[in-house]
Amino acid sequence: TDGGASVFAETIRKIREKSPETRVEVLIPDFLGDLQALKTVLAGRPDVLNHNVETVPRLYGSVRPGADYQRSIDLLKNAHHINPSIFTKSGLMLGLGERPEEIQQVLKDLLDVGCSILTMGQYLQPSGKHLRVERFVPPEEFEEWRRKALEMGFREAASGPFVRSSYRAHETYQSLYSTPNSNPSAEPDSLRDKGTQSRQAQRHRGPKGQSGRVFLLCAFASLSLCLFLCRFVPLCLCTFVPLSR
């Protein structure tokens, strides 16, 4: 199977057919390193492709035993290489025992593969069977990481105890075009064209409040279901968040 990639792509296409102005962000698994599956999702042309690295490499054995840090980094690298006009995004959970220098290296790794958007939030223990929280990170430390991420070169960064993957996704996407790029010449032509088209579409829709609501799709997938059957059956959930215009 393709790990659910075709479901992502078809969902995006259907949304485009029904609502061409809708912005779509997809949160995808690593597809076990299957490049063709990634290409299938990208062919659907999401506005933002999100894949979370979740934690630092040292903790993968306990936090993400079925995943591979380098495989996640390679996915983001390949996505940016295949279509640089699609923003790539990733996120980290803090409070699992990571060290500051390890977080810094992860941010550098993400920037090196063209990742534009970063989210950082507090890990919370879902149940007694899950990993315990090693540390509750204070809000001011999250804010310091946000400032540092922007200084390092991320286009947008959201960092706080309650931040999750889709935290204020619509505002983040809009600010990518409203905030001047420090080096516009480094931005791909296709990306600049896309931003121009977006701003023109907004002007045509008229004053605030007349266009009703826009819906942002956040698609989440998991490849862990039915492992006992020795095959991967993806579970894809689509959450539509109403966003006031």
Side-chain angles (χ1 to χ4, degrees):
T1 67
D2 64 0
S6 57
V7 177
F8 280 107
E10 183 62 19
T11 301
I12 297 168
R13 292 190 189 99
K14 292 297 184 182
I15 291 171
R16 300 288 191 217
E17 290 175 6
K18 298 291 185 180
S19 179
E21 292 303 314
T22 296
R23 302 300 176 210
V24 181
E25 174 180 315
V26 290
L27 176 58
I28 65 171
D30 64 12
F31 297 119
L32 299 180
D34 186 343
L35 184 60
Q36 186 54 52
L38 175 61
K39 289 180 178 179
T40 296
V41 175
L42 293 172
R45 297 193 62 80
D47 295 285
V48 179
L49 184 130
N50 186 357
H51 174 70
N52 291 328
V53 292
E54 304 290 9
T55 189
V56 301
R58 177 177 59 86
L59 298 177
Y60 258 60
S62 57
V63 178
R64 303 190 72 198
D68 180 88
Y69 177 77
Q70 191 57 50
R71 191 163 66 201
S72 289
I73 292 295
D74 288 343
L75 179 145
L76 292 165
K77 178 181 179 179
N78 289 329
H80 184 68
H81 176 74
I82 293 168
N83 192 338
S85 72
I86 295 175
F87 290 111
T88 51
K89 175 179 178 180
S90 193
L92 283 154
M93 299 181 295
L94 303 189
L96 286 160
E98 65 286 335
R99 304 178 186 125
E101 62 272 18
E102 292 176 315
I103 299 173
Q104 181 102 3
Q105 184 59 52
V106 170
L107 300 193
K108 183 180 182 301
D109 291 344
L110 291 172
L111 282 171
D112 287 346
V113 296
C115 187
S116 300
I117 310 169
L118 175 72
T119 58
M120 301 177 75
Q122 172 69 50
Y123 168 71
L124 298 174
Q125 185 179 16
S127 75
K129 297 180 180 179
H130 291 80
L131 292 172
R132 66 185 180 89
V133 177
E134 293 294 330
R135 175 173 176 256
F136 286 100
V137 180
E140 55 269 21
E141 190 171 323
F142 274 111
E143 176 59 21
E144 180 59 30
W145 278 117
R146 186 190 71 83
R147 287 197 297 266
K148 187 171 292 187
L150 293 174
E151 289 171 0
M152 290 177 67
F154 283 95
R155 293 281 298 276
E156 289 293 333
S159 179
F162 300 114
V163 170
R164 293 297 180 260
S165 295
S166 300
Y167 181 81
R168 295 184 177 176
H170 179 66
E171 290 91 333
T172 297
Y173 181 82
Q174 291 295 90
S175 66
L176 288 170
Y177 293 121
S178 62
T179 303
N181 193 323
S182 58
N183 183 13
S185 63
E187 189 174 346
D189 291 338
S190 55
L191 187 59
R192 290 198 298 272
D193 292 344
K194 192 174 183 182
T196 300
Q197 292 169 3
S198 174
R199 288 189 291 271
Q200 289 174 345
Q202 290 168 15
R203 285 197 294 268
H204 289 318
R205 284 198 298 269
K208 181 178 179 180
Q210 290 186 2
S211 60
R213 291 181 176 272
V214 173
F215 292 89
L216 174 69
L217 170 75
C218 299
F220 303 85
S222 169
L223 294 179
S224 61
L225 187 64
C226 296
L227 285 177
F228 64 92
L229 295 177
C230 297
R231 61 184 300 179
F232 293 93
V233 180
L235 174 62
C236 297
L237 304 177
C238 296
T239 303
F240 292 86
V241 183
L243 302 168
S244 298
R245 300 297 299 167

